[in-house]
Amino acid sequence: MRTLIYLGLGLIFGVAMYKGEAASWFRIFEMFNFDSFHMYGFIASALLVGLPATQWLKRRGRDIDGKPIYIAPKRRSIARYLFGGILFGLGWALVGACPAPIFVLIGAGVKAMLVVAISAVLGTYLYGLLRNKLLH
Amino acid sequence: MDWLFAPWPWYVGGGVVGLVMVCLMWMGNTFGFSSNFRTICSALGAGQTCSFFDYDWKSQRWNLLFLVGTVAGGFLAAQIFPNQHMPDISSTTVERLNLLGITSVGESYYPTELFESWSFKDVSLLIFGGLLVGFGTRYAGGCTSGHAISGLSDLQLPSLIAVIGFFFGGLFMVHVLFPLIFSL
């Protein structure tokens, strides 16, 4: 049952990302040129739903098993978020897709995205190998 | 049923993404797509050579299922219910793209110049971009879903720093590197 729920949520998410054009390279390029409100509106509407819901769930909410909802706070640091963020931002703008749209587009039949996905897995592996040498 | 064959306005797309995140939270999980790269590494046996991947990746099965659903969603949206028209990109952006030699805007969902040429240069760019995405998301501890959507919803300061980083990187790529990359 849960398997179906996760598959279904992924399906709805994938359709929304494609139909909402958040998986379009052109929309990402447009966003980084500040030429349109589209992507800013997209992220803002996700937050408009997500922010109040998260705040409420954290205080009062119970999950499906009746357990209180706990969200682990992220570790305090500046370097890793800034440097890691910049590296990801460079890649995001180049391939015009953050991790989820890479897979949305694979489903859409964009074969070149398979190359991007494999490279991204390798990139994560590379991070694992080098992480002790990086500033966190 | 026309809406199925048309692009959705940003407030529908964004709103649905917000709801999906809330549903995952209710299922007892945290929305974060890039974790799947680490899970895939671990599932492929990377834990034997690197302790960062030595963990019980099966606990992340839910996220892999979500990934499979995402791929299916892309297939459904593009192949079964294709959009009748391509992203309506602003005319200023179209001019900028033409200057870079990208003219497939308006006719395609993505620039065919980059994704369908299979030239050595373009494949190298895709590999380089993919490496940056995989490395950067794990270094930053999350991507757009984990930081910009769920992290900011949780009012996490680290996520705000990460999002500022995303934009630094993206602006540098588009404004400084693109003119160099695409004029070669």
Side-chain angles (χ1 to χ4, degrees):
Chain A
M1 185 61 200
R2 290 198 181 196
T3 299
L4 279 179
I5 296 178
Y6 289 124
L7 285 171
L9 284 173
L11 187 88
I12 294 166
F13 173 67
V15 170
M17 291 296 281
Y18 190 89
K19 293 278 171 190
E21 298 176 344
S24 170
W25 186 99
F26 293 122
R27 285 292 185 197
I28 307 303
F29 179 80
E30 188 184 50
M31 170 181 78
F32 285 127
N33 277 294
F34 304 102
D35 285 342
S36 164
F37 185 68
H38 186 96
M39 283 308 301
Y40 298 100
F42 192 102
I43 297 170
S45 10
L47 287 175
L48 200 70
V49 175
L51 203 147
T54 303
Q55 295 308 316
W56 187 84
L57 281 170
K58 256 175 84 167
R59 286 170 179 80
R60 306 265 159 85
R62 300 263 158 180
D63 67 16
I64 191 172
D65 300 315
K67 285 188 292 192
I69 285 174
Y70 170 75
I71 308 169
K74 303 203 188 299
R75 276 192 43 229
R76 292 276 148 153
S77 156
I78 292 181
R80 74 171 295 189
Y81 299 112
L82 197 60
F83 298 149
I86 289 173
L87 291 174
F88 163 58
L90 289 164
W92 182 18
L94 182 55
V95 298
C98 42
I102 293 175
F103 290 92
V104 173
L105 291 172
I106 288 174
V110 186
K111 291 181 204 73
M113 277 298 171
L114 283 169
V115 177
V116 178
I118 293 166
S119 317
V121 171
L122 280 174
T124 296
Y125 182 63
L126 212 59
Y127 166 76
L129 294 179
L130 297 174
R131 67 190 286 265
N132 295 328
K133 299 186 178 73
L134 298 168
L135 195 61
H136 276 84
Chain B
M1 294 296 273
D2 286 350
W3 59 275
L4 264 180
F5 292 91
W8 294 357
W10 48 263
Y11 47 88
V12 177
V16 171
V17 169
L19 282 175
V20 166
M21 180 198 79
V22 175
C23 289
L24 286 176
M25 216 183 298
W26 178 69
M27 294 288 292
N29 307 114
T30 311
F31 183 39
F33 205 90
S34 62
S35 307
N36 283 315
F37 292 133
R38 186 183 179 192
T39 310
I40 293 169
C41 282
S42 182
L44 291 174
Q48 291 161 4
T49 48
C50 177
S51 63
F52 182 63
F53 302 105
D54 187 14
Y55 65 101
D56 176 28
W57 62 270
K58 288 191 178 125
S59 66
Q60 296 298 306
R61 199 181 90 99
W62 70 271
N63 212 347
L64 290 175
L65 288 167
F66 186 78
L67 180 150
V68 171
T70 304
V71 174
F75 176 75
L76 198 68
Q79 307 290 345
I80 310 293
F81 306 111
N83 290 356
Q84 293 302 317
H85 56 93
M86 288 301 139
D88 184 18
I89 303 296
S90 88
S91 52
T92 346
T93 305
V94 173
E95 280 169 37
R96 291 181 210 274
L97 286 164
N98 289 338
L99 284 174
L100 292 172
I102 295 172
T103 53
S104 55
V105 60
E107 295 156 17
S108 170
Y109 193 85
Y110 51 87
T112 50
E113 288 88 347
L114 178 63
F115 290 95
E116 285 177 4
S117 87
W118 296 101
S119 70
F120 178 75
K121 180 190 159 189
D122 289 330
V123 173
S124 311
L125 286 173
L126 295 175
I127 292 174
F128 185 59
L131 286 171
L132 284 169
V133 168
F135 191 96
T137 49
R138 209 68 270 124
Y139 192 1
C143 60
T144 333
S145 55
H147 279 310
I149 310 282
S150 55
L152 290 185
S153 284
D154 190 29
L155 299 173
Q156 295 270 352
L157 184 64
S159 292
L160 184 64
I161 301 169
V163 172
I164 292 169
F166 298 170
F167 266 82
F168 263 129
L171 291 172
F172 189 80
M173 175 56 73
V174 164
H175 294 276
V176 180
L177 299 180
F178 269 15
L180 301 171
I181 291 172
F182 289 105
S183 64
L184 283 176

